[in-house]
Amino acid sequence: MRHAMTMLVLLSVTACQGSSPGSPDGGDSGADTDTDADTDTDTGTGSDTGEDTDTGPYIDPGWSLHVINETLDATRPIAVADFDGDGDLDVTGVAATPTHDSLFMFFDTSGDGLEWTGELPIESYDRVTSLDTADLDQDGDTDLVVGSSDQAAWFENAAGDGSEWTHHGVVTCGDCYSQVLVADVDGDTIPDIVVGSDGEVAWWENADGDASSWIEHATDCPPLWGNFVAPNDLEAADLDEDEDVDLLVSPGTDSSYFLWLDNTAGDGSTWSDHTIGESDYEGHGAAVADLDGDGDLDFAGKAASPVYGSEPHTFRTRWWENADGDGTAWSDYALLDSSTNVGGFALGDIDGDDDVDVVCSREFGIKWLDNVDGDAQTWADQTVTTGYTSARPLLTIDMDQDGDVDLVTATGSRILWFENLSD
């Protein structure tokens, strides 16, 4: 859940498989604190047939697998940022037990993602549901924002090097499983926090600019009902190109597919809501980028019908074209067939050809869909690995700082990243 970028989105949602020409359709303590995280490297040495080998799941020769940690249980969600201020990227993960979740920090000590130290414990919660990062107190380092089962909070990077963390509450709630997102909602260049919980979406103004005081503001988001009291996903992006931050909500209810909340005044004081998609599908995640290369922001996402808890499901994994460029008209195009459910889902320029590709995971493993012509009409299936079928979330980011887009994910008890070996 991040602020959208024109060419590359660094956050995951939960979504993909398959490829075909697009055609319009009407319409997650007591964890071990051992500090020698496994840094073994698995390379794509399997056969080019895409079949599993005797030494493990097939990994395409264009990718190399690196293990950040393999001792935590149920390590999702995750967040990637430079927490120790040394210029490379570090990782926050979540360890789950039957009674609570714990946050842990892992530091890249080699600068290229090949050697890691951790696990530095930060805090324990009943359940951690979402993470985001930003310099909330404007002191030049990266802080951590956490959504959990009973609160939204931020952790101050007190020493500036990720070694000490101070908890600050923003809002408490009951069984709310809050989603959090950092964005400059009021346009004052200072990061605020958007919180989805207790059936609503609100934003908290960083009133003094140093995260010492927070003021709640409503978004006029319609009440969210259904299986969950918090939305499944929040994204921030200027969907109508009026130079402010709007919100894209995946409600996780059977009342709407996706909701676009237009920041009509540009300062978060007034909002208008717009439903995108079919009302009998619940939206489970989205990612925003200029998928068709026409200069405005589109989004890709997934949904399911009927609501979870009912069977059988029909799935929708699609991308939505911002047809007029101002968010008033949307045309949706299929990425997958309706029988395919998906887990991890992210966007990024995987092959370095200056367009936006799609990365996804599920029972097929992890693969990416090549945006062949750059206009999102033709997609070519490309395998990363046939293993790690529970991988999610997926993050697209340059972990080794070599100029291309790598993949970071969590699966079972492991936090992994796949190095993109393409030129």
Side-chain angles (χ1 to χ4, degrees):
M1 296 167 285
R2 302 290 300 173
H3 197 93
M5 301 166 57
T6 301
M7 284 303 302
L8 175 63
V9 174
L10 300 182
L11 219 282
S12 65
V13 303
T14 47
C16 199
Q17 186 224 358
S19 62
S20 62
S23 57
D25 272 318
D28 197 292
S29 126
D32 186 350
T33 55
D34 186 352
T35 59
D36 55 353
D38 190 330
T39 58
D40 290 347
T41 299
D42 297 326
T43 58
T45 56
S47 68
D48 290 339
T49 64
E51 297 178 352
D52 291 358
T53 69
D54 292 339
T55 58
Y58 169 81
I59 300 174
D60 184 86
W63 299 87
S64 179
L65 172 62
H66 307 280
V67 179
I68 297 172
N69 179 270
E70 56 182 354
T71 63
L72 301 185
D73 187 23
T75 51
R76 58 179 180 246
I78 55 177
V80 178
D82 182 10
F83 293 109
D84 55 6
D86 64 353
D88 56 40
L89 294 172
D90 311 301
V91 177
T92 297
V94 179
T97 75
T99 59
H100 62 274
D101 289 356
S102 293
L103 290 167
F104 285 86
M105 188 72 64
F106 304 92
F107 299 102
D108 179 358
T109 56
S110 61
D112 57 5
L114 300 182
E115 297 180 12
W116 296 84
T117 61
E119 309 143 353
L120 177 68
I122 301 176
E123 185 88 352
S124 295
Y125 285 96
D126 285 344
R127 183 181 177 189
V128 176
T129 53
S130 59
L131 299 172
D132 208 347
T133 63
D135 183 9
L136 289 176
D137 51 5
Q138 301 290 282
D139 63 351
D141 55 39
T142 302
D143 306 306
L144 182 66
V145 184
V146 180
S148 73
S149 58
D150 61 0
Q151 64 178 294
W154 73 281
F155 286 85
E156 178 186 356
N157 193 344
D161 60 1
S163 63
E164 299 177 26
W165 297 87
T166 303
H167 173 274
H168 302 274
V170 177
V171 58
T172 59
C173 52
D175 294 328
C176 59
Y177 297 97
S178 57
Q179 291 288 334
V180 295
L181 168 70
V182 177
D184 179 17
V185 178
D186 53 4
D188 62 356
T189 74
I190 297 169
D192 308 301
I193 299 177
V194 182
V195 181
S197 66
D198 285 337
E200 63 182 14
V201 177
W203 70 278
W204 293 77
E205 178 186 356
N206 192 344
D208 296 326
D210 60 1
S212 61
S213 61
W214 299 90
I215 299 174
E216 182 182 11
H217 301 272
T219 63
D220 297 327
C221 177
L224 304 177
W225 306 105
N227 290 344
F228 305 99
V229 293
N232 279 329
D233 184 54
L234 297 170
E235 300 292 326
D238 185 11
L239 292 177
D240 54 0
E241 296 192 296
D242 61 354
E243 300 183 355
D244 57 35
V245 173
D246 306 312
L247 299 174
L248 183 63
V249 184
S250 302
T253 74
D254 57 355
S255 61
S256 61
Y257 211 153
F258 298 98
L259 289 173
W260 165 41
L261 302 181
D262 181 14
N263 188 351
T264 54
D267 60 1
S269 61
T270 59
W271 300 81
S272 61
D273 63 274
H274 308 268
T275 298
I276 303 173
E278 304 168 46
S279 61
D280 58 341
Y281 281 77
E282 55 179 37
H284 285 278
V288 182
D290 182 10
L291 284 154
D292 55 3
D294 65 352
D296 57 42
L297 290 175
D298 315 297
F299 72 93
K302 76 162 190 173
S305 179
V307 297
Y308 278 143
S310 303
E311 297 288 349
H313 291 307
T314 300
F315 303 101
R316 294 285 188 269
T317 304
R318 303 180 179 184
W319 74 276
W320 279 260
E321 179 189 3
N322 193 344
D324 294 332
D326 59 2
T328 58
W330 298 88
S331 300
D332 60 305
Y333 300 80
L335 287 170
L336 311 182
D337 63 68
S338 62
S339 65
T340 305
N341 193 9
V342 291
F345 180 86
L347 305 178
D349 185 10
I350 302 302
D351 51 1
D353 62 351
D354 297 324
D355 58 35
V356 180
D357 307 307
V358 177
V359 188
C360 45
S361 66
R362 195 59 176 187
E363 65 272 6
F364 46 79
I366 303 173
K367 62 176 61 184
W368 64 283
L369 304 181
D370 180 15
N371 189 350
V372 176
D373 298 318
D375 60 0
Q377 295 302 305
T378 304
W379 301 89
D381 236 12
Q382 307 288 339
T383 297
V384 177
T385 177
T386 57
Y388 309 103
T389 57
S390 64
R392 61 177 179 263
L394 288 172
L395 308 184
T396 50
I397 193 166
D398 186 5
M399 287 297 291
D400 51 3
Q401 302 181 85
D402 64 351
D404 56 30
V405 176
D406 308 304
L407 306 179
V408 187
T409 190
T411 174
S413 61
R414 310 178 87 185
I415 301 177
L416 314 168
W417 74 279
F418 288 86
E419 179 184 358
N420 188 344
L421 300 177
S422 62
D423 296 331

